[in-house]
Amino acid sequence: MLLERLYDEDLAQASYFIGCQAKGEALVVDARRDIADYLALAAKHGMRITAVAETHIHADYLSGTRELAAATGATSYVSGEGGKDWQYGFEAERLMDGDIITLGNLRIAARHTPGHTPEHLAYAITDGAFSQDPGYLLSGDFIFAGDLGRPDLLDEAAGGVDTRFEGARDLFASLKKTLAELPDYIQVHPGHGSGSACGKALGAVPSTTLGYEREFAWWSTYLANDDQDGFIAELLNGQPDAHAYFGRMKRQNRLGPAILGQLDPLAEIPVQQLLQQLEAGVSVFVDTRGHTQIAAGTVPGALSIPGTAKTASFGAWAYDPEKDQRALIVLAETGEHAATIRAHLMRVGIDAVKGFTTSLEGLPTVKPKSITPAQLADFEYEMLLDVRNKTEFTAGHIPGAKQLSGGRVLWNLDQLPASGTIVTYCQSGMRNAVAASALRDAGYNVVELEGSYLGWSSFAS
């Protein structure tokens, strides 16, 4: 048996390539939308991808299940659990609890594990050439290393009302069932790692075991004492802010993401053509440099999307493809770099990258408005906006500030003043640059606080 983890640092998301070497067939679970890595892995091992599956309707990235199936002719498998409100809207084989995908000697058994979402599946893998019992669990957003999948995203991002409590009860029951039916030696391979917003304290290690989590995870005591109420209270307390784009991901993943097929190379856009496009409002410039470089000068109206470490995450904060039809022209070192940026943005359903430029030469530049912490007390503004998470804000903030996380700003403009100046800050400046550029693009007069909260804290002390 071959089991390989493909990890996206940008979104802290893991997909899995499971292959039967005897038969030369492979299954990919929770594929992302840029599929080149899976095709390359199959070619490397001389395998055909004959099946693609997913654990649930994802909220944090756009699924590549349909894309990979279309490219390989593989059979698609999705959950048929969760009731009528959680059925997929595209053609695929529906898996129910106990259904099995067979690849040569491998048996991949679907296990209904509701909690994070009602339809959620985990996959227990048995290597028949080695044992008749399962040895591995692809747990999706059910069990993480050191944590559990949050049950409140349907409320936070998908329009649900108090579904978090039912989800938390389901998660408690799923844990009890799983621990009763599977042995402690089971290797757990989760769908996310540290940095994901799908839980509040995910570990950075790539895998764990059921027994280790049973013994040491925060939830183990509640489960051992059958304390469901205590479990629910602890689970729901302190969850990070859910990004607003999660709602769009839920809708698109349920209906079925558009299949892009083979993509053409991106063209380098001549300066004069780019200037004309920007002037006509049909394109927007994406500055991918670090926030300190952008602060020294960028193209007027540019979106700040530092890349490529968090291109997908920040891109989904600053650009809403459901409302914005402008083409994105990205600043990139080479055409290959531009293609990487496009691939990252595709992962969150932003398919608008149409070209690139390699420098700011010949383009007008302007320094984004900013003030120092020393100037803040005497500066006239309508709102002081903290774009960090609620937990960061609670731990300490500038007096008088209002909190609205960067991933929610564009979708909550009704919480901002209709006129006047908004002063924005985050922890160190990078998230602030993204949110401030998005607000300027939306027509707001934004001034960034130099050094953000860390700069203010040093000054205030």
Side-chain angles (χ1 to χ4, degrees):
M1 184 185 83
L2 177 71
L3 193 160
E4 293 208 25
R5 173 183 183 254
L6 293 89
Y7 194 68
D8 175 16
E9 297 282 355
D10 190 337
L11 295 168
Q13 181 265 334
S15 50
Y16 293 91
F17 185 101
I18 303 101
C20 174
Q21 291 141 317
K23 197 168 184 180
E25 293 183 352
L27 159 73
V28 175
V29 176
D30 287 342
R32 61 177 188 254
R33 204 155 165 247
D34 50 314
I35 61 174
D37 287 348
Y38 309 111
L39 300 178
L41 196 56
K44 174 184 174 182
H45 293 290
M47 292 182 172
R48 294 182 301 113
I49 297 173
T50 59
V52 289
E54 53 189 66
T55 53
H56 65 293
I57 301 172
H58 299 284
D60 57 317
Y61 72 101
L62 202 55
S63 166
T65 294
R66 295 189 74 222
E67 194 75 36
L68 190 54
T72 61
T75 301
S76 298
Y77 295 92
V78 298
S79 176
E81 297 281 4
K84 63 182 180 63
D85 293 334
W86 294 98
Q87 297 303 303
Y88 286 79
F90 60 91
E91 185 175 347
E93 295 290 328
R94 267 52 175 178
L95 293 174
M96 306 300 286
D97 186 58
D99 286 347
I100 294 175
I101 302 170
T102 301
L103 295 176
N105 290 321
L106 304 182
R107 298 194 306 276
I108 299 95
R111 297 181 60 90
H112 185 213
T113 48
H116 178 66
T117 61
E119 82 292 351
H120 192 284
L121 297 177
Y123 294 99
I125 302 173
T126 300
D127 182 358
F130 188 75
S131 170
Q132 293 307 302
D133 297 317
Y136 313 87
L137 183 72
L138 303 188
S139 59
D141 288 23
F142 171 33
I143 299 174
F144 298 129
D147 204 2
L148 300 170
R150 61 191 294 184
D152 63 319
L153 279 184
L154 304 184
D155 289 352
E156 293 293 317
V161 178
D162 288 340
T163 63
R164 66 189 68 200
F165 301 106
E166 180 179 358
R169 289 190 291 270
D170 285 344
L171 195 56
F172 190 75
S174 292
L175 274 174
K176 292 180 69 175
K177 183 174 185 289
T178 299
L179 291 172
E181 295 178 351
L182 294 178
D184 281 353
Y185 61 72
I186 290 283
Q187 294 182 26
V188 176
H189 296 269
H192 293 286
S194 178
S196 170
C198 291
K200 61 181 175 180
L202 281 68
V205 295
S207 64
T208 183
T209 66
L210 208 54
Y212 189 85
E213 297 302 310
R214 182 205 300 267
E215 186 70 23
F216 299 111
W218 67 261
W219 47 264
S220 59
T221 301
Y222 296 105
L223 211 68
N225 295 328
D226 201 24
D227 182 4
Q228 179 177 266
D229 291 341
F231 170 86
I232 292 172
E234 179 61 27
L235 177 66
L236 296 179
N237 181 51
Q239 291 287 357
D241 294 351
H243 306 310
Y245 83 89
F246 283 7
R248 173 169 61 85
M249 293 294 91
K250 277 286 185 186
R251 294 191 298 274
Q252 289 183 267
N253 281 326
R254 182 181 176 188
L255 293 174
I259 297 173
L260 298 176
Q262 186 68 38
L263 298 174
D264 294 328
L266 290 169
E268 185 171 359
I269 308 299
V271 171
Q272 196 57 41
Q273 181 181 341
L274 177 54
L275 287 171
Q276 292 172 353
Q277 292 178 2
L278 296 176
E279 179 68 25
V282 297
S283 295
V284 60
F285 183 79
V286 176
D287 198 328
T288 59
R289 298 174 298 159
H291 66 281
T292 54
Q293 294 172 289
I294 291 173
T298 188
V299 174
L303 294 178
S304 172
I305 305 177
T308 53
K310 288 293 180 183
T311 297
S313 304
F314 290 147
W317 290 16
Y319 183 89
D320 183 358
E322 291 187 320
K323 296 180 180 178
D324 200 335
Q325 302 303 310
R326 294 173 298 173
L328 299 178
I329 309 300
V330 300
L331 179 63
E333 297 172 3
T334 62
E336 184 177 358
H337 181 212
T340 299
I341 294 169
R342 174 174 65 178
H344 278 246
L345 292 174
M346 282 167 46
R347 296 172 193 176
V348 289
I350 298 175
D351 303 331
V353 177
K354 302 302 180 184
F356 71 98
T357 183
T358 58
S359 76
L360 300 182
E361 186 176 348
L363 297 172
T365 60
V366 62
K367 292 181 66 173
K369 295 179 183 178
S370 65
I371 58 170
T372 66
Q375 296 170 320
L376 181 61
D378 297 322
F379 189 76
E380 292 188 11
Y381 56 83
E382 194 68 24
M383 176 183 284
L384 178 61
L385 182 62
D386 186 326
V387 299
R388 300 176 301 163
N389 288 324
K390 288 179 290 189
T391 51
E392 294 173 288
F393 184 81
T394 300
H397 59 270
I398 301 175
K402 172 184 173 61
Q403 188 272 336
L404 182 58
S405 64
R408 302 182 68 86
V409 164
L410 275 189
W411 289 262
N412 290 275
L413 297 179
D414 59 330
Q415 297 185 31
L416 305 180
S419 60
T421 299
I422 301 174
V423 177
T424 61
Y425 72 91
C426 65
Q427 188 74 1
S428 62
M430 182 163 62
R431 287 174 289 174
N432 188 40
V434 178
S437 73
L439 286 175
R440 289 191 187 99
D441 186 55
Y444 289 84
N445 182 31
V446 179
V447 175
E448 298 175 52
L449 182 63
E450 294 179 13
S452 276
Y453 184 69
L454 290 179
W456 178 85
S457 296
S458 296
F459 169 76
S461 60

